[in-house]
Amino acid sequence: MTKDRRSRAWYGKLDKDGFIHRSWMKNQGFPDDVFDGRPIIGICNTWSELTPCNSGLRDLAEGVKRGVWEAGGFPVEFPVMSLGETQMKPTAMLFRNLLAMDVEESIRAYGIDGVVLLGGCDKTTPGQLMGAASVDLPSIVVSSGPMLNGKWQGKDIGSGTDVWKFSEAVRAGDMTLQDFMNAESGMSRSKGVCMTMGTASTMASLVEAMGMSLPTNAALPAVDARRMALAHLTGKRIVEMVEEDLKPSDILTKEAFENAILANAAVGGSTNAVVHLLALAGRVGVDLSLDDFEIGREIPLLVNCMPSGKYLMEDFCYAGGMPVVLKELADKGHLRSAKSVLGGDIAAYAEGAECYNSDVIKSYDDPVKPAAGLMVLRGNLAPNGAIVKPSAATERLLEHEGEAYVFESIEDLKANIDREDLPVTPDTILVLKGCGPKGYPGMPEVGNMPIPRKLVTQGVRDMIRVSDARMSGTAFGTVVLHVSPEAQAGGTLALVKTGDRIKVSGSQGILELLVDDAELQARRDAWHPDDPHYTRGYAKLYIDHVLQADKGADLDFLVGKDTRPVTRESH
Ligand code: FES
């Protein structure tokens, strides 16, 4: 007897509508029997030549299809918007929510029973998960996988992380422009995502820690044949998940998010994980706030990968990958009980995991750094919170009071950062406004402002920087990010003036503008937001509806889910 599955409402009817749905699919050469009631599996693909990190996903889709066919399902691949982090202006983050809408509406509108999410580059993973979570059909992730280690002049070089270092070295006169140009080809040697623990590998690691992919998905290099095998196995597994009706809402529980927060600390993961986890939690109705990130504070840094350490994702894979990290957390009682896509507890991912290089994945008792979890700072400068990544920061700067030097916009920064007469010292706190969700718009990765040239030439490589922006997961430094509310929304950040004193205390969780209330009120009375550059289309929709960083920067009307069946037909 044919199961009454979702896809039957498209392909199981014997009327005009069923004819239309089946007949047009048959133009691809599918025989009658694929419509016999077997599970129909959507393969949601963010492949694009403009998203180089996802350029291997067409191959992986073929692996998924093999597995789906083998398990008795019918695979159908469909494209969704792709977000190339390094290629899009003003920032790919502006479009994460648009991808999520595309994914959600595609899944809902088509006659599929389950979905495999093929993503990788920074915003594609969270965008796909957010969309899938809002429909809540059985879903599983296959990631692009990281590029092979970068190589240049006999050394390993890391995506992003070494770009920031080389760029500062050129500005300081320590590297020739020719060498800088030559390093380009050595950095990106294969398909795949950034091979540092940037946002893409962070999100893939957290997806694995949350049990939304098969084990080892995060670290297997993009071009490793075992990733193709993993895609095949994922195709088999999604067919079983449909039969078991195992949905994202069964997996993405509060405990799963806590595992993600703990794992993010252990891998030295990206600050971007904060906005993505908060947004995803909003979709599945899990009550997650910035305060929940405190559970990661005391977790040590175990994974010795750039930008917090020295190795790269290929090394992490060969050392054992995420199962080893999960085992270290589990052995210390830090892994919460939560269900994975395999149907059992996530603890099964850690069972039998062995570390093959204890310098790449350190033990809990002999870590790369102690207490690596993200710090949440609050105070009058960020009443709703700001974050800093201590594992990538200079320790002494995490307790600091200094004078602000304010850039009113990214254009102001670019025009003046290299001025020899810029009135800054290594103790100055650089402040950048207008780079939050509404302000840029899209909250770009410009929070790790360059060090002013007059200081970089003196050897200064880190200063406190404060903004409402994000920073690349591959970046480093004592960078206070995601200040909420942002300047463009009227946050206190908008009122800071050059010469004001700012206090930062990581140990006390403080970000305070040391200006009295009366003066601040006078400045507030005189303040008005900048006129938006975008006045139509998606960007206007985004500016009008985006939530602040502490809420995940989702659009207000996308929070939550809608799992009701679609009943009306097109003809
Ligand atoms: Fe795509 Fe880093 S730019 S993963």
Side-chain angles (χ1 to χ4, degrees):
M1 193 178 115
T2 304
K3 263 196 158 181
D4 184 26
R5 38 178 121 258
R6 182 176 189 271
S7 59
R8 300 309 287 162
W10 279 256
Y11 302 107
K13 295 181 179 177
L14 299 178
D15 57 5
K16 174 200 71 179
D17 296 325
F19 179 107
I20 290 173
H21 292 311
R22 285 185 302 273
S23 176
W24 266 258
M25 287 295 278
K26 285 179 179 178
N27 84 352
Q28 300 172 86
F30 295 122
D32 277 333
D33 42 328
V34 301
F35 303 107
D36 62 2
R38 67 187 71 189
I40 300 183
I41 305 300
I43 301 173
C44 175
N45 204 339
T46 53
W47 173 88
S48 166
E49 286 179 342
L50 285 168
T51 308
C53 317
N54 293 8
S55 60
L57 290 178
R58 262 192 175 165
D59 297 339
L60 290 180
E62 293 307 315
V64 173
K65 286 178 193 174
R66 289 182 203 165
V68 172
W69 285 123
E70 185 188 341
F74 171 25
V76 280
E77 183 183 351
F78 63 94
V80 285
M81 186 182 194
S82 192
L83 309 177
E85 186 67 29
T86 51
Q87 312 298 319
M88 297 184 91
K89 294 183 180 187
T91 167
M93 181 63 176
L94 176 61
F95 306 107
R96 181 200 64 180
N97 302 337
L98 184 58
L99 167 62
M101 289 170 80
D102 185 353
V103 170
E104 175 178 347
E105 301 305 342
S106 295
I107 294 174
R108 181 175 292 120
Y110 286 116
I112 57 179
D113 300 300
V115 63
V116 180
L117 305 170
L118 296 189
C121 193
D122 295 14
K123 307 303 177 291
T124 54
T125 302
Q128 285 185 299
L129 278 171
M130 288 159 65
S134 285
V135 199
D136 207 25
L137 293 187
S139 306
I140 189 169
V141 173
V142 177
S143 302
S144 294
M147 288 186 257
L148 296 175
N149 286 2
K151 299 278 181 188
W152 182 66
Q153 292 190 338
K155 292 190 300 270
D156 278 1
I157 56 171
S159 314
T161 305
D162 277 306
V163 180
W164 318 127
K165 284 189 181 155
F166 291 166
S167 164
E168 293 296 68
V170 171
R171 295 174 70 238
D174 296 338
M175 184 180 196
T176 67
L177 192 58
Q178 191 57 52
D179 275 351
F180 184 67
M181 305 296 282
N182 291 345
E184 275 180 20
S185 312
M187 184 164 284
S188 308
R189 298 191 305 123
S190 77
K191 291 176 178 175
V193 300
C194 294
M195 86 306 275
T196 41
M197 188 57 81
T199 304
S201 288
T202 296
M203 291 312 295
S205 299
L206 304 195
V207 160
E208 194 172 327
M210 289 193 290
M212 281 299 296
S213 71
L214 294 183
T216 74
N217 171 64
L220 279 171
V223 294
D224 192 312
R226 291 171 293 179
R227 178 162 292 281
M228 190 65 166
L230 182 119
H232 184 131
L233 294 173
T234 304
K236 284 177 73 174
R237 180 59 198 150
I238 186 67
V239 175
E240 296 166 356
M241 287 172 68
V242 169
E243 299 295 3
E244 296 161 14
D245 197 27
L246 182 57
K247 304 183 296 297
S249 57
D250 300 315
I251 297 166
L252 295 173
T253 57
K254 179 77 181 253
E255 289 76 14
F257 282 95
E258 289 177 350
N259 284 336
I261 291 167
L262 296 163
N264 194 45
V267 303
S270 166
T271 47
N272 289 320
V274 176
V275 282
H276 298 325
L277 290 175
L278 289 167
L280 181 58
R283 297 302 187 103
V284 288
V286 165
D287 182 20
L288 194 75
S289 73
L290 272 183
D291 293 337
D292 289 301
F293 285 79
E294 288 295 331
I295 63 166
R297 264 309 287 126
E298 297 305 316
I299 299 294
L301 175 64
L302 306 181
V303 178
N304 196 0
C305 277
M306 296 181 199
S308 299
K310 60 180 178 180
Y311 294 103
L312 295 167
M313 287 301 288
E314 210 184 323
D315 309 303
F316 180 43
C317 171
Y318 305 149
M322 276 310 285
V324 177
V325 175
L326 295 177
K327 184 164 191 305
E328 287 292 324
L329 292 173
D331 287 350
K332 295 294 177 185
H334 287 303
L335 198 64
R336 315 307 202 226
S337 176
K339 205 176 251 191
S340 78
V341 286
L342 289 177
D345 196 279
I346 187 70
Y349 285 32
E351 269 166 29
E354 264 188 69
C355 179
Y356 301 110
N357 187 333
S358 59
D359 198 40
V360 177
I361 309 176
K362 307 280 271 184
S363 70
Y364 200 97
D365 295 324
D366 179 26
V368 185
K369 289 179 189 170
L374 299 175
M375 285 173 172
V376 178
L377 308 181
R378 290 181 198 274
N380 68 346
L381 190 44
N384 297 339
I387 58 169
V388 66
K389 180 177 178 180
S391 66
T394 303
E395 201 175 336
R396 75 180 164 77
L397 287 176
L398 289 171
E399 306 296 329
H400 183 74
E401 188 183 310
E403 261 189 21
Y405 184 87
V406 176
F407 297 103
E408 294 292 336
S409 67
I410 192 69
E411 289 76 22
D412 182 12
L413 180 145
K414 290 197 169 169
N416 292 297
I417 192 79
D418 284 344
R419 263 176 39 208
E420 283 302 326
D421 63 344
L422 202 70
V424 292
T425 73
D427 289 331
T428 302
I429 296 180
L430 300 179
V431 174
L432 173 61
K433 301 179 184 177
C435 297
K438 288 178 188 291
Y440 207 90
M443 208 185 173
E445 296 185 337
V446 296
N448 55 318
M449 301 162 231
I451 304 296
R453 189 195 293 273
K454 70 181 257 192
L455 297 177
V456 92
T457 51
Q458 292 166 23
V460 177
R461 288 293 182 273
D462 195 13
M463 299 169 69
I464 298 191
R465 289 155 272 177
V466 177
S467 74
D468 44 13
R470 296 176 302 114
M471 78 170 175
S472 164
T474 64
F476 51 88
T478 313
V479 186
V480 179
L481 300 154
H482 307 190
V483 166
S484 176
E486 64 172 299
Q488 180 69 359
T492 312
L493 184 67
L495 312 179
V496 185
K497 289 186 173 174
T498 292
D500 288 348
R501 292 192 74 76
I502 292 175
K503 178 181 175 180
V504 175
S505 170
S507 62
Q508 297 173 69
I510 287 176
L511 180 63
E512 197 74 18
L513 179 63
L514 303 174
V515 172
D516 66 56
D517 290 346
E519 169 64 15
L520 280 182
Q521 190 55 50
R523 291 184 193 178
R524 189 173 296 286
D525 293 343
W527 177 83
H528 58 84
D530 292 337
D531 291 338
H533 177 70
Y534 294 87
T535 55
R536 63 172 296 283
Y538 169 74
K540 172 160 174 48
L541 184 78
Y542 178 94
I543 291 167
D544 289 348
H545 290 278
V546 71
L547 298 168
Q548 289 294 286
D550 61 297
K551 302 282 185 237
D554 201 356
L555 302 186
D556 52 12
F557 58 85
L558 292 175
V559 174
K561 59 187 170 188
D562 182 356
T563 60
R564 293 172 300 170
V566 185
T567 51
R568 293 184 174 174
E569 291 282 355
S570 172
H571 296 93

